[in-house]
Amino acid sequence: MDTFSYLGQGFGVALSPYNLFTALCGTLIGTIVGLLPGLGPINGVALLIPIAFALGLPPETALILLAAVYLGCEYGGRISSILLNIPGEASAVMTTLDGYPLARQGKAGIALSISAWSSFVGGLMATCGVVIFAPLLAKWAVAFGPAEYFVLMVFAIVCLAGMAGNKPMKTAIAACIGLFLSCVGIDSNSGVYRFTFGSLGLADGIQFVVLVLGLFSVSEILVLLERTHHGQKAIEAKGRMLFSLKEGLSVLASNLRSGAVGFFLGILPGAGATLASAVAYMSEKRLAVKDNTFGNGDLRGLAAPETANSASACGSMVPMLTLGVPGSGTTAVMLGALTLYNITPGPLLFRDQPDIVWGLIASLFVANIMLIVMNVPMIKVFTKILAVPYWALVPAIAIITSIGVYAVHATAFDLFLMIGIGIAGYILRKMDFPLSAILLGFILGGLMEQNLRRALSISDGNLGILFASPITWGVWSLVALMIVLPIWRTWRTWRKRAQQKAQLANA
């Protein structure tokens, strides 16, 4: 059966009335979660996992729900960015640079509609990319053994630091913290208690829902509490609500370029939508040298990050499904959801459970269409939701977060652990450590340990197995490149500054 036959089978799953209703609920919830500061896609997906599991949803339906929430959050994050200059999530930070100036110019409706269109284009391009490249990567990934998987996960960890802009060292430290946290609990091989400090509550390890909600929700609550709110109100979307054909054509090239950038960075483990939106924005800014109005309400500056973050969200499904390696923090949470259903992601998933894989891929098309149809008519509704003050928003986030954690094991220990992790996460945020790197390190840590042990068992303890195949040599080369890249970038920045100082001294 070829790819398009499988895709047709997937649409049969995604277009069933039950799954259509699930996708509709997911897109609506995701949009609302995305526009509210303090939640975002990781929290939205994490909060719904125990609910989906408790409701007894089939695995394909649960994945469709979580994917719809993920895409909805990428759409919703732009709303508060444009209207209030408050990014609903990290990937929407770049949207504020030109989105908010457009709103201040009285073009809020145009900005919201063109950002929704850009998100749709990015999501559609990336989903087509998933259809084309995911099966090819799955066939290639069959050649991966435990050694290859271990090296691939080392590459994923190194990618975090290599692509972390001006703070690679902090990102590497954060990823190592995540790796350490993944070691907490009983060793599955020897039965030894590791880093539990005599606590039975840590015997089963740290649950990923507890870690996610502690790192992101609790720390965000603390950030919101320290802010002083001066009664800033949402800017009403007045005048023309839809962009014109001329405006749409003016950003079309930016849409296409940014969609390709977003998809490519999405399939790289650890890159994520935040990096994709930043790279796309800076790339378009460099191309617009002659008529550069970026930062002052340029439609291209709005379209580029919105296209890229939606493309990255869809693209991050590729490594999750084909290699079992999360492409972003949110897909790391979704990877945890698969384990709740005893589903092992990887190349064999395409062969053994095609309904789940292709139903999920087909639902990405469906969710993107739902979101573009839903978002433009509901602009005024969203602006009313944004008027919720922090004194009401913070308790709501706290209640939702506590319910999400307590639903996992129904123990008070998890609640206290979540609060402790949240306080630590808040301190790390103040020190400018990326929390998503901790989460990815945590998810990959267990997988790295399992595959390293399997590889060493096969080789009778010989570490040479990690360098024994062409695939491992190729991935190790990429690891070396990602280590050298930030060092070279730092040296280049230092050299440029030294030259500037020398020029000033000579002048």
Side-chain angles (χ1 to χ4, degrees), residues 74 90-91 94 163 257-267 270-284 304-313:
E74 297 299 336
S91 63
M94 305 306 293
M163 294 185 174
R257 287 190 294 263
S258 301
V261 169
F263 176 71
F264 173 72
L265 291 177
I267 63 176
T274 304
L275 178 66
S277 62
V279 171
Y281 183 88
M282 297 309 297
S283 299
E284 291 301 311
E306 283 303 303
T307 308
N309 64 36
S310 287
S312 177

Side-chain angles (χ1 to χ4, degrees), residues 222-270:
L222 296 175
V223 170
L224 290 176
L225 287 174
E226 76 172 353
R227 291 177 184 167
T228 302
H229 191 260
H230 297 289
Q232 183 184 18
K233 295 183 179 179
I235 301 169
E236 294 185 10
K238 297 179 180 178
R240 186 155 53 95
M241 302 301 294
L242 291 174
F243 61 90
S244 65
L245 179 61
K246 181 180 178 181
E247 290 165 339
L249 291 174
S250 70
V251 301
L252 181 59
S254 296
N255 288 147
L256 297 176
R257 287 190 294 263
S258 301
V261 169
F263 176 71
F264 173 72
L265 291 177
I267 63 176
L268 290 179

Side-chain angles (χ1 to χ4, degrees), residues 130-427:
V130 172
V131 172
I132 296 169
F133 292 108
L136 297 175
L137 189 57
K139 291 178 182 178
W140 176 65
V142 174
F144 274 58
E148 286 78 10
Y149 268 110
F150 172 77
V151 180
L152 179 67
M153 289 165 194
V154 172
F155 171 65
I157 294 292
V158 174
C159 267
L160 290 172
M163 294 185 174
N166 60 352
K167 49 182 179 182
M169 187 58 66
K170 288 187 176 181
T171 306
I173 293 171
C176 290
I177 293 173
L179 291 173
F180 167 74
L181 294 177
S182 70
C183 296
V184 175
I186 299 176
D187 181 1
S188 57
N189 280 20
S190 63
V192 173
Y193 285 76
R194 302 186 302 188
F195 308 111
T196 59
F197 306 103
S199 172
L200 290 177
L202 291 174
D204 289 335
I206 299 173
Q207 302 301 311
F208 80 97
V209 173
V210 175
L211 181 67
V212 168
L213 296 182
L215 281 178
F216 292 91
S217 286
V218 175
S219 68
E220 186 65 31
I221 288 172
L222 296 175
V223 170
L224 290 176
L225 287 174
E226 76 172 353
R227 291 177 184 167
T228 302
H229 191 260
H230 297 289
Q232 183 184 18
K233 295 183 179 179
I235 301 169
E236 294 185 10
K238 297 179 180 178
R240 186 155 53 95
M241 302 301 294
L242 291 174
F243 61 90
S244 65
L245 179 61
K246 181 180 178 181
E247 290 165 339
L249 291 174
S250 70
V251 301
L252 181 59
S254 296
N255 288 147
L256 297 176
R257 287 190 294 263
S258 301
V261 169
F263 176 71
F264 173 72
L265 291 177
I267 63 176
L268 290 179
T274 304
L275 178 66
S277 62
V279 171
Y281 183 88
M282 297 309 297
S283 299
E284 291 301 311
K285 187 176 181 179
R286 289 192 189 100
L287 291 173
V289 176
K290 294 181 180 179
D291 56 342
N292 189 355
T293 56
F294 278 56
N296 298 311
D298 194 308
L299 289 177
R300 294 167 297 178
L302 173 62
E306 283 303 303
T307 308
N309 64 36
S310 287
S312 177
C314 294
S316 64
M317 301 287 179
V318 174
M320 182 191 77
L321 293 173
T322 58
L323 301 174
V325 175
S328 66
T330 309
T331 50
V333 179
M334 293 178 69
L335 194 64
L338 287 172
T339 61
L340 288 177
Y341 284 94
N342 294 319
I343 296 172
T344 303
L348 297 181
L349 187 62
F350 281 75
R351 186 194 69 187
D352 298 339
Q353 295 174 298
D355 283 354
I356 292 176
V357 176
W358 290 101
L360 173 61
I361 294 173
S363 74
L364 298 178
F365 286 105
V366 175
N368 269 295
I369 294 172
M370 285 181 173
L371 284 163
I372 187 67
V373 172
M374 177 195 305
N375 270 254
V376 174
M378 294 188 68
I379 288 174
K380 291 188 179 295
V381 176
F382 292 143
T383 57
K384 291 179 180 178
I385 294 173
L386 287 170
V388 177
Y390 281 173
W391 62 262
L393 182 62
V394 169
I397 296 173
I399 291 170
I400 294 171
T401 300
S402 300
I403 292 173
V405 166
Y406 192 76
V408 178
H409 283 154
T411 62
F413 178 83
D414 285 346
L415 290 173
F416 288 116
L417 180 61
M418 177 191 70
I419 293 171
I421 291 172
I423 294 172
Y426 169 75
I427 295 171

Side-chain angles (χ1 to χ4, degrees), residues 76-133:
R78 79 191 200 285
I79 298 172
S80 56
S81 299
I82 293 170
L83 296 179
L84 283 177
N85 201 30
I86 301 174
E89 46 160 329
S91 63
V93 170
M94 305 306 293
T95 303
T96 63
L97 300 181
D98 285 280
Y100 188 63
L102 282 168
R104 298 290 297 176
Q105 296 167 18
K107 299 178 181 178
I110 297 172
L112 287 168
S113 61
I114 207 161
S115 63
W117 169 253
S118 298
S119 294
F120 172 74
V121 172
L124 190 64
M125 286 179 64
T127 306
C128 292
V130 172
V131 172
I132 296 169
F133 292 108

